[in-house]
Amino acid sequence: MKRQMLLAATIGLAATSLQADVIAPGDVVMTEYGEVTESLTGVPGDPARGQAIMVDRGQGNCLACHQVTALDHEPWHGEVGPSLDGVATRWDEAALRGLLVNADTVFPDSIMPAFYKVSGFVRPGDGFTTRPAPADLQPMLAAQDIEDVVAFLMTLTDY
């Protein structure tokens, strides 16, 4: 019983220390070229989870705008954004992380959502009910979600 309690306490402490390392959206540092060189969590991304986030219409929904040959088994690839085939040969992790955090930094006229931004919007809120956004506006994706999507994108080396 003591061992189980010690194990539970250790796991709880580890989880708390992992959460303490997460960079909050307002504290993200971008280079002059829009790169985010520091991991948002300090935890390596999981490419399989990143792929799931990309195709999930309730999360990343990347396929709504981008075509990805490696995901041909998924329906409804978009043509609004560039193809993500070979994206890992064109961009490094820091650049991809920056694009996911806030693509407007690199491409000011982009319609790509800022997936890890919570302030600086013109009028955030619910466009259908005209209610304002909550005071504690949350990013579209969590910090680890960003790291997972970056990990998946880094697997896309083929054109």
Side-chain angles (χ1 to χ4, degrees):
M1 181 70 167
K2 287 183 181 181
R3 286 184 189 167
Q4 290 173 338
M5 289 177 61
L6 180 60
L7 179 61
T10 304
I11 291 171
L13 182 61
T16 303
S17 66
L18 282 176
Q19 290 178 344
D21 292 340
V22 172
I23 298 173
D27 296 333
V28 173
V29 176
M30 298 182 106
T31 68
E32 65 180 304
Y33 301 109
E35 299 167 325
V36 177
T37 58
E38 186 177 358
S39 168
L40 300 177
T41 63
V43 176
D46 175 356
R49 191 166 176 283
Q51 177 180 338
I53 292 166
M54 284 188 60
V55 301
D56 186 324
R57 286 173 175 40
Q59 283 192 299
N61 198 20
C62 304
L63 292 185
C65 295
H66 298 280
Q67 178 275 331
V68 183
T69 300
L71 300 176
D72 268 350
H73 60 280
E74 296 288 339
W76 311 111
H77 292 242
E79 297 175 353
V80 174
S83 169
L84 296 180
D85 290 351
V87 72
T89 63
R90 298 189 304 269
W91 303 88
D92 62 15
E93 284 186 36
L96 290 171
R97 187 179 298 112
L99 288 170
L100 289 169
V101 166
N102 186 3
D104 285 348
T105 304
V106 178
F107 301 111
D109 294 327
S110 174
I111 62 168
M112 182 168 160
F115 286 102
Y116 200 65
K117 179 180 171 181
V118 295
S119 64
F121 298 108
V122 174
R123 260 187 352 185
D126 186 337
F128 296 105
T129 65
T130 67
R131 292 185 192 127
D136 64 338
L137 187 64
Q138 298 297 305
M140 293 175 74
L141 292 177
Q144 190 58 49
D145 295 339
I146 298 286
E147 296 302 322
D148 294 340
V149 171
V150 169
F152 175 71
L153 291 173
M154 290 305 295
T155 69
L156 300 178
T157 57
D158 294 336
Y159 283 91

